Amino acid sequence: MTGWVIVVDQPKDFPNADTPHKVITTSEYLARPRLFDGGRPKLINLSRSYAYQSKGYYASLLAEARGHRIVPTVETMLELREAKLYEHALPELEDLLNRCAKRTDFQPEGEFKLLVCFGIARDPRFEAFGRLLFDWFRCPALEVSVDTGAALVRHRPHPHAYADETCERGSCVPARVPAPAHGAGMARPQGAHRAEI
């Protein structure tokens, strides 16, 4: 089997007709170890929850154990749960978020939410930020809550439940998942702002 396989909790979450990719449920993936014998599929986990011990969590864990490529990985799921685990990414993310807002003269009145699907920000003013966020956290959909202040923008991204999506299904799943722009171990510039994910 070639191409991406989309893993969802319920068939109605992402009907097969909405995408050229194969769609299976987490229950099918967990219960049928021989489903991809002889192949190394690429999986997109669009489960409703990535919480510890949820079906979404186990689908990614099992995919890694089977040698399948999966987005998001268990490491990404765990990293997004704990501020201490993702705080290293915040300076660079906040710096770019602030630059995008300044460049477009964006001045919100308070907290706002920004949806990023596969590195594509729903608000085109934050296109560069969306790509960088996906480089840091390879998660299909992230919703970023942004608190605004005088010169500070703090954000808290968390995995977005695809079943409750606000972006169109067909446009959010790309033909291929983009490769990260940053290489492993590459030094990342430090920004002046502080953020919370």
Side-chain angles (χ1 to χ4, degrees), residues 82-98 129 133 137 144-148 151-157 190-197:
E82 286 290 324
K84 283 285 188 199
L85 297 177
Y86 61 70
E87 67 185 3
H88 61 282
L90 299 181
E92 183 180 8
L93 289 168
E94 282 188 351
D95 180 55
L96 185 55
L97 184 66
N98 285 317
F129 173 76
L133 183 67
F137 306 107
V144 180
S145 298
V146 182
D147 292 326
T148 59
L152 177 68
V153 177
R154 287 179 285 163
H155 62 284
R156 296 176 305 279
Q190 297 296 312
H193 300 293
R194 208 180 122 238
E196 298 171 19
I197 296 182

Side-chain angles (χ1 to χ4, degrees), residues 25-47:
T25 66
T26 50
S27 296
E28 287 176 306
Y29 184 74
L30 295 172
R32 297 175 61 195
R34 298 196 184 279
L35 191 60
F36 298 105
D37 269 358
R40 192 163 178 239
K42 298 172 283 186
L43 306 162
I44 299 173
N45 184 345
L46 299 183
S47 298

Side-chain angles (χ1 to χ4, degrees), residues 3-195:
W4 289 90
V5 177
I6 299 170
V7 181
V8 295
D9 286 329
Q10 301 291 325
K12 67 181 179 183
D13 291 347
F14 202 104
N16 233 342
D18 288 352
T19 180
H21 307 291
K22 173 133 179 79
V23 178
I24 63 171
T25 66
T26 50
S27 296
E28 287 176 306
Y29 184 74
L30 295 172
R32 297 175 61 195
R34 298 196 184 279
L35 191 60
F36 298 105
D37 269 358
R40 192 163 178 239
K42 298 172 283 186
L43 306 162
I44 299 173
N45 184 345
L46 299 183
S47 298
R48 294 179 183 183
S49 173
Y50 300 136
Y52 182 67
Q53 294 188 344
S54 67
K55 283 185 178 180
Y57 174 85
Y58 278 118
S60 284
L61 186 65
L62 189 56
E64 291 176 28
R66 290 176 178 169
H68 300 165
R69 291 178 50 199
I70 184 86
V71 174
T73 62
V74 170
E75 179 182 7
T76 298
M77 290 176 190
L78 295 175
E79 192 171 24
L80 288 169
R81 288 180 55 207
E82 286 290 324
K84 283 285 188 199
L85 297 177
Y86 61 70
E87 67 185 3
H88 61 282
L90 299 181
E92 183 180 8
L93 289 168
E94 282 188 351
D95 180 55
L96 185 55
L97 184 66
N98 285 317
R99 283 188 283 140
C100 288
K102 186 180 277 187
R103 183 174 36 247
T104 60
D105 200 29
F106 181 69
Q107 298 172 352
E109 290 298 316
E111 182 179 87
F112 70 96
K113 295 188 184 303
L114 178 64
L115 180 64
V116 177
C117 298
F118 292 98
I120 302 167
R122 177 138 189 201
D123 184 333
R125 294 175 290 195
F126 296 97
E127 182 180 336
F129 173 76
R131 285 192 308 268
L132 182 63
L133 183 67
F134 190 62
D135 280 352
W136 273 103
F137 306 107
R138 308 289 284 174
C139 191
L142 287 168
E143 185 175 66
V144 180
S145 298
V146 182
D147 292 326
T148 59
L152 177 68
V153 177
R154 287 179 285 163
H155 62 284
R156 296 176 305 279
H158 63 275
H160 182 68
Y162 231 75
D164 306 319
E165 72 194 271
T166 54
C167 64
E168 297 175 36
R169 289 183 183 126
S171 66
C172 284
V173 179
R176 67 179 192 81
V177 174
H182 291 288
M186 178 183 264
R188 299 176 187 279
Q190 297 296 312
H193 300 293
R194 208 180 122 238

